[in-house]
Amino acid sequence: MTQTLLISCLYIGIFVFAQRLLTNWVAKLAESKQVSFKRTKLVTQYITYLLFIIIACLWVVSLGIEYQQVSLFISSVFAVLGVALVAQWSILSNITAGVLIFFVFPYRIGDRIKIIDKDEDVTGIIAEISLFHVLIERSDGITITYPNNLMLQKGVLKLNQTQTKPLSESPEKDHTQVQSD
């Protein structure tokens, strides 16, 4: 009983220490990237949930429960979650893209961007970056809600604040080739 209590205290201590370390790291990264507090809090929560699951699995295995029983339970949980999330694949995709955007997205709120999309002109200023979507305000006053997974899949151009068209579309340059005989 004493050994079980010590193991439990050890894992709780590891969880608290690792959670604080990761929270501080995410906060510093968010500050350097000028990310909103709301978005930082969401990413921190997801990392904390993942850390809790990992520590809980290690704790259960170290308490002496057989590895086969733990792995059977975990694989069953993941199978049920997998079936449930296949129906909501876009939600899972957007959450994953939202976390990736938090860490590697080169654009900030207030930047003027153009998303290369053949169907719609998506040019505007980034108003908000959330875990599921990016809000882009166009110059005509329309706000576009653009899913995070599409932000990662499509090309994004950063425009100057006064520029309305990307440089490749500027009328000064003629990109036609003249063939000489």
Side-chain angles (χ1 to χ4, degrees), residues 97-136:
V99 172
L100 284 173
I101 284 173
F102 179 82
F103 289 108
V104 297
F105 198 56
Y107 310 111
R108 309 257 188 275
I109 293 173
D111 285 351
R112 184 166 177 75
I113 62 167
K114 176 180 176 83
I115 299 172
I116 309 299
D117 192 352
K118 65 179 181 175
D119 298 329
E120 180 73 27
D121 177 31
V122 185
T123 302
I125 297 174
I126 298 175
E128 178 65 38
I129 302 173
S130 71
L131 206 54
F132 292 102
H133 58 268
V134 174
L135 294 179
I136 302 170

Side-chain angles (χ1 to χ4, degrees), residues 53-120:
I53 290 170
I54 291 169
I55 296 291
C57 291
L58 291 172
W59 176 65
V60 167
V61 168
S62 67
L63 286 178
I65 298 176
E66 291 184 28
Y67 178 73
Q68 290 82 13
Q69 293 174 343
V70 173
S71 64
L72 177 66
F73 174 74
I74 291 172
S75 63
S76 300
V77 168
F78 279 124
V80 170
L81 285 175
V83 169
L85 291 175
V86 164
Q88 298 297 326
W89 188 254
S90 63
I91 291 175
L92 182 63
S93 175
N94 280 321
I95 290 173
T96 305
V99 172
L100 284 173
I101 284 173
F102 179 82
F103 289 108
V104 297
F105 198 56
Y107 310 111
R108 309 257 188 275
I109 293 173
D111 285 351
R112 184 166 177 75
I113 62 167
K114 176 180 176 83
I115 299 172
I116 309 299
D117 192 352
K118 65 179 181 175
D119 298 329
E120 180 73 27

Side-chain angles (χ1 to χ4, degrees), residues 35-54:
V35 177
S36 69
F37 175 75
K38 179 179 161 187
R39 200 166 135 222
T40 303
K41 185 177 175 185
L42 285 172
V43 169
T44 303
Q45 283 178 343
Y46 284 125
I47 291 174
T48 300
Y49 294 151
L50 181 64
L51 179 66
F52 177 77
I53 290 170
I54 291 169

